[in-house]
Amino acid sequence: MVLMNARTLSVLVIILLLGGTAVVLILQRQAHAEVDGELEIARESAQALDRIRSENARLTAALPTPAELRALREDRVALGRLRQEVASLRKAVDALAEPARVVPAVPKVSASDLLRDRRRVSSQQMSNVGWKTPLAAFETLVWAAVQGDIDALAQAVVFDPRWNYQVELLWAGLSPETRAEYRSAERLFAAMTLRDMPLGTTQVNHESQLQPGDHTLPGPGHALVVANFSDANKNSRRVALYFRPSDQGWQLLIPGAAVAKYRDVLKGKSAPAMSK
């Protein structure tokens, strides 16, 4: 009975040992399986990380460089300007497509025609024809008045030599501001002459060459042109203008009476405003 129990105990011990070994083996297998699973997960994670890194590298390589970004910004600015230019061109094309407005030209007429026909015309029909003849000088004078062109007339202004000293005194007595504005006595008298001319209509009544002693003018060969002017209110004024021949053409002679008149005006009032 005791021997049986010893055997039985030995068998039990062996069974226990085998069972323990089996348990250990099972646990080792489970541990290996878990390790293998973790390794597989690690490999997959590493592969995913590699893919992410590759994609990141690709995207980074596809990004524009700082120079390319600057170029893109400049292109956007240029595109905006181009759009504005296209819009302006479209407006210009549309304007060209509109029917042209025909502005009737003012028919020109010469002072010689006016003297021949004795007709009255708009002063705007006069032209700048130079100073070659007394009538041409008269026509250019009227044109300068219409245009307000003081310089065009000032280049042809000349004074009665007997009144040159009075003109010098008058010019010296003006304020420095007035002298700086007009720059010369010729420009001052040209401005005052243009101011006094009505600019509505013009009619030439008379033109003649004066002989020595006529009208107490100095020197031979002077010319007289008599004309009627009227303003917008149809107020008429008869004007006698004297012209003197020179190497540059016929000059507008400012006689002593005109010098005295404008001297009195300047003493009593300020100088006339310049037109141009």
Side-chain angles (χ1 to χ4, degrees), residues 105-111 114 119-127 138-139 142-143 145-147 197-204 228-232:
V106 177
K108 299 300 181 181
V109 61
S110 68
L114 296 186
R119 56 192 171 114
R120 188 185 298 271
V121 299
S122 169
S123 298
Q124 294 184 355
Q125 294 179 248
M126 298 289 98
S127 303
F138 170 81
E139 185 175 345
V142 177
W143 171 86
V146 172
Q147 301 297 322
M197 291 183 62
L199 299 179
T201 61
T202 301
Q203 181 184 35
V204 180
N228 285 335
F229 295 98
S230 66
D231 57 21

Side-chain angles (χ1 to χ4, degrees), residues 42-63:
R43 282 194 296 270
E44 292 177 355
S45 298
Q47 292 174 355
L49 182 60
D50 290 339
R51 289 195 297 269
I52 291 173
R53 287 174 178 172
S54 299
E55 184 65 16
N56 184 53
R58 185 185 67 81
L59 293 176
T60 301
L63 290 175

Side-chain angles (χ1 to χ4, degrees), residues 64-126:
T65 63
E68 291 173 340
L69 286 175
R70 287 193 298 270
L72 288 173
R73 294 191 188 99
E74 293 174 356
D75 289 343
R76 289 188 63 183
V77 173
L79 180 60
R81 293 175 180 171
L82 182 60
R83 287 174 177 171
Q84 292 178 352
E85 292 177 1
V86 170
S88 299
L89 289 174
R90 286 177 178 172
K91 290 181 179 179
V93 171
D94 293 340
L96 291 174
E98 295 179 357
R101 297 179 181 178
V102 178
V103 178
V106 177
K108 299 300 181 181
V109 61
S110 68
S112 300
D113 294 337
L114 296 186
L115 177 62
R116 183 186 64 246
D117 301 337
R118 294 291 197 276
R119 56 192 171 114
R120 188 185 298 271
V121 299
S122 169
S123 298
Q124 294 184 355
Q125 294 179 248
M126 298 289 98

Side-chain angles (χ1 to χ4, degrees), residues 4 12 45 48 61 66 82 87 94-95 105 107 113-114 146 158 162 169 174 176 191 204 210 217 236 255 272:
M4 187 64 179
L12 289 173
S45 298
L82 182 60
D94 293 340
D113 294 337
L114 296 186
V146 172
V158 64
R162 295 170 298 184
L169 289 178
L174 297 175
V204 180
L210 301 180
L217 292 176
S236 296

Side-chain angles (χ1 to χ4, degrees), residues 11-264:
V11 171
L12 289 173
V13 170
I14 292 170
I15 291 172
L16 289 173
L17 289 174
L18 291 174
T21 302
V23 170
V24 170
L25 290 174
I26 291 172
L27 291 175
Q28 287 180 345
R29 287 180 180 177
Q30 289 179 347
H32 283 298
E34 290 177 358
V35 170
D36 290 341
E38 290 177 356
L39 289 175
E40 183 64 24
I41 292 173
R43 282 194 296 270
E44 292 177 355
S45 298
Q47 292 174 355
L49 182 60
D50 290 339
R51 289 195 297 269
I52 291 173
R53 287 174 178 172
S54 299
E55 184 65 16
N56 184 53
R58 185 185 67 81
L59 293 176
T60 301
L63 290 175
T65 63
E68 291 173 340
L69 286 175
R70 287 193 298 270
L72 288 173
R73 294 191 188 99
E74 293 174 356
D75 289 343
R76 289 188 63 183
V77 173
L79 180 60
R81 293 175 180 171
L82 182 60
R83 287 174 177 171
Q84 292 178 352
E85 292 177 1
V86 170
S88 299
L89 289 174
R90 286 177 178 172
K91 290 181 179 179
V93 171
D94 293 340
L96 291 174
E98 295 179 357
R101 297 179 181 178
V102 178
V103 178
V106 177
K108 299 300 181 181
V109 61
S110 68
S112 300
D113 294 337
L114 296 186
L115 177 62
R116 183 186 64 246
D117 301 337
R118 294 291 197 276
R119 56 192 171 114
R120 188 185 298 271
V121 299
S122 169
S123 298
Q124 294 184 355
Q125 294 179 248
M126 298 289 98
S127 303
N128 182 359
V129 294
W131 310 89
K132 292 182 179 180
T133 67
L135 285 177
F138 170 81
E139 185 175 345
T140 300
L141 167 63
V142 177
W143 171 86
V146 172
Q147 301 297 322
D149 194 333
I150 296 174
D151 290 322
L153 178 59
Q155 66 179 337
V157 165
V158 64
F159 299 101
D160 184 333
R162 295 170 298 184
W163 282 78
N164 282 342
Y165 181 67
Q166 293 295 330
V167 172
E168 292 175 1
L169 289 178
L170 174 61
W171 180 252
L174 297 175
S175 66
E177 293 78 13
T178 299
R179 291 198 302 271
E181 180 181 8
Y182 287 94
R183 303 195 298 276
S184 70
E186 287 77 12
R187 293 189 82 254
L188 173 63
F189 276 83
M192 300 186 77
T193 300
L194 296 184
R195 183 200 64 176
D196 281 351
M197 291 183 62
L199 299 179
T201 61
T202 301
Q203 181 184 35
V204 180
N205 296 322
H206 176 77
E207 186 264 342
S208 63
Q209 299 286 323
L210 301 180
Q211 299 303 316
D214 289 348
H215 297 263
T216 66
L217 292 176
H222 291 77
L224 171 67
V225 176
V226 180
N228 285 335
F229 295 98
S230 66
D231 57 21
N233 297 322
K234 298 184 179 179
N235 297 317
S236 296
R237 181 181 175 189
R238 190 178 182 86
V239 177
L241 298 169
Y242 297 96
F243 296 91
R244 188 183 77 175
S246 71
D247 295 338
Q248 291 76 35
W250 288 81
Q251 298 172 298
L252 176 66
L253 178 70
I254 307 296
V259 174
K261 171 187 173 183
Y262 291 142
R263 178 192 60 197
D264 294 341

